[in-house]
Amino acid sequence: MDLGIAGKRALVCASSKGLGRGCAEALAEAGVNLVLNARGAEALEATAAQIRETYGVSVETVAADVTTEEGRAQLLEVAGQVDILVNNAGGPPPGSWKDWDREDFIAALDANMLAPIALIKALVPGMEERGWGRVVNITSVSVKSPIAVLGLSNSARAGLTGYVAGTSRQVAPSGVIMNNLLPGIHATDRMTSLDSNTAKAEGITADEAKARRLGGIPTGTYGDARDFGATCAFMCSQYAKFMVGQNVLLDGGATNVTM
């Protein structure tokens, strides 16, 4: 399917690996030129080189921490005018509600709520002026079904979800379509870390921790970053123009909800 976005320019955050990279590759396959961002320069440059060689699109890179004002300034200087924004950042660490203090919540909000809002505010006005734009915010299944040990993530991502619900409807008349993409359990470094933490906390092996998680997923598998990226690319396509302020869940059926 021709997604109708060849030649567009996209900024994809946290895109050197994992779900962000899956989104970047899917957009590149659709002919979109990219600005990639991650904190680690080595992995970022390796990803950029592979995408350039595979898909023949322009790929610029910015090694910076998007959760900081300085990092966003570096990123926006290189990005310039973009047609597509994919917001993405790693989630806060797991823990117990008894141990989280104000500083922990501020850090979570900065990374997973305020940083994507800052990029939206910086880039969406230009999209409105040009009459076309797409924003996809990678959040989490936790906004549909909170995960107790990820209370910091639950809180910050729910805040972003509320912001997007209102903002998406304000920018839609200008041709800017904004939605959220909610990953469940995917085969990424993040999930490997969570499995390891579970194993350590419960005195079991990482394989046993993974098997327990798989038991709660109807498909019996972890998600795939390439499939996730393809969904993101569709949400950035010409065909998504009637999809406004939605929360698209990709979790293999693990969240048992009607709506």
Side-chain angles (χ1 to χ4, degrees):
M1 177 187 290
D2 180 2
L3 298 182
I5 51 177
K8 300 287 189 185
R9 180 174 171 86
L11 167 58
V12 186
C13 299
S15 49
S16 64
K17 56 186 177 179
L19 300 182
R21 176 169 179 165
C23 295
E25 291 206 40
L27 289 169
E29 189 173 8
V32 176
N33 298 311
L34 301 173
V35 179
L36 302 184
N37 157 255
R39 286 177 295 182
E42 185 175 353
L44 181 63
E45 294 303 331
T47 294
Q50 185 171 1
I51 290 176
R52 287 189 199 101
E53 181 179 352
T54 303
Y55 302 105
V57 297
S58 169
V59 184
E60 298 172 78
T61 59
V62 183
D65 185 351
V66 72
T67 69
T68 67
E69 289 189 20
E70 180 183 8
R72 287 193 296 275
Q74 295 175 31
L75 186 55
L76 290 168
E77 183 177 359
V78 172
Q81 291 187 346
V82 300
D83 307 294
I84 295 167
L85 167 62
V86 179
N87 271 316
N88 185 33
S96 168
W97 64 273
K98 296 178 181 179
D99 300 326
W100 295 322
D101 296 321
R102 183 177 188 278
E103 293 74 17
D104 299 306
F105 281 99
I106 294 299
L109 291 170
D110 275 340
N112 297 122
M113 177 181 170
L114 299 178
I117 289 175
L119 291 179
I120 288 168
K121 289 183 66 177
L123 295 171
V124 166
M127 296 179 190
E128 289 185 295
E129 290 175 8
R130 296 187 297 276
W132 196 96
R134 298 289 186 267
V135 179
V136 175
N137 304 291
I138 299 175
T139 61
S140 169
V141 64
S142 67
V143 302
K144 288 272 191 180
S145 179
I147 302 167
V149 297
L150 298 181
L152 296 173
S153 177
N154 297 342
S155 304
R157 297 191 194 279
L160 176 62
T161 302
Y163 174 86
V164 169
T167 305
S168 61
R169 287 153 174 93
Q170 292 176 287
V171 301
S174 300
V176 180
I177 301 302
M178 186 184 305
N179 293 287
N180 303 318
L181 186 50
L182 285 55
I185 298 175
H186 283 68
T188 63
D189 290 346
R190 166 79 163 166
M191 189 46 55
T192 299
S193 175
L194 289 175
D195 281 342
S196 296
N197 288 337
T198 298
K200 186 181 300 183
E202 299 187 16
I204 59 178
T205 68
D207 285 343
E208 288 172 328
K210 180 177 180 179
R212 183 183 300 175
R213 290 190 199 276
L214 289 174
I217 305 174
T219 60
T221 62
Y222 281 4
D224 179 85
R226 182 172 177 82
D227 293 344
F228 185 90
T231 303
C232 178
F234 176 82
M235 293 170 67
C236 296
S237 76
Q238 62 176 329
Y239 303 109
K241 59 183 177 292
F242 211 55
M243 179 190 292
V244 175
Q246 299 304 301
N247 293 284
V248 178
L249 185 62
L250 284 182
D251 72 341
T255 306
N256 192 2
V257 293
T258 301
M259 300 291 290

